[in-house]
Amino acid sequence: MDGRRVDRAAAERFGRNLFMARRRAGFSQEELAALCALHRTEIGLLEKGRRLPRVDTLLKLSAAFAIEPELLLKGMDWVTAAGRGAGGFAVKP
């Protein structure tokens, strides 16, 4: 890893959403990776909640499924603290 902090709850939620979308589409990790010009291990890391995708990766994944990116982000919101610049993910169970 490159030292950036990953919000585990958000990464795990994204991973579940990605896994379910991949299964519904009938793709293997290898097939999805090929469609997105990614390595299969990247798909696995995303599905396991070890990583959060960059914006370009999110767009590649949503295009491969022919869905809106919001569907892969379902159950996650970004919440800013009132009066502060800092914020964080609010992940629904």
Side-chain angles (χ1 to χ4, degrees):
M1 297 271 182
D2 60 11
R4 288 181 283 185
R5 185 175 90 53
V6 173
D7 184 296
R8 287 282 164 227
E12 288 172 5
R13 180 59 188 246
F14 180 83
R16 283 195 304 271
N17 292 346
L18 177 60
F19 173 78
M20 294 305 295
R22 181 176 63 79
R23 294 299 296 261
R24 278 193 299 272
F27 295 142
S28 68
Q29 287 184 347
E30 292 84 4
E31 291 168 328
L32 179 58
L35 287 170
C36 297
L38 299 169
H39 195 277
R40 182 203 53 82
T41 57
E42 179 69 13
I43 301 298
L45 289 170
L46 289 167
E47 285 186 356
K48 290 178 187 172
R50 302 281 308 274
R51 289 190 183 174
L52 280 170
R54 297 182 331 190
V55 172
D56 60 327
T57 301
L58 176 62
L59 294 174
K60 288 176 183 180
L61 291 166
S62 64
F65 297 125
I67 62 173
E68 294 297 319
E70 292 84 13
L71 293 175
L72 292 173
L73 300 173
K74 187 176 180 178
M76 294 183 284
D77 292 310
W78 184 260
V79 179
T80 55
R84 294 191 230 157
F89 284 106
V91 180
K92 298 173 187 162

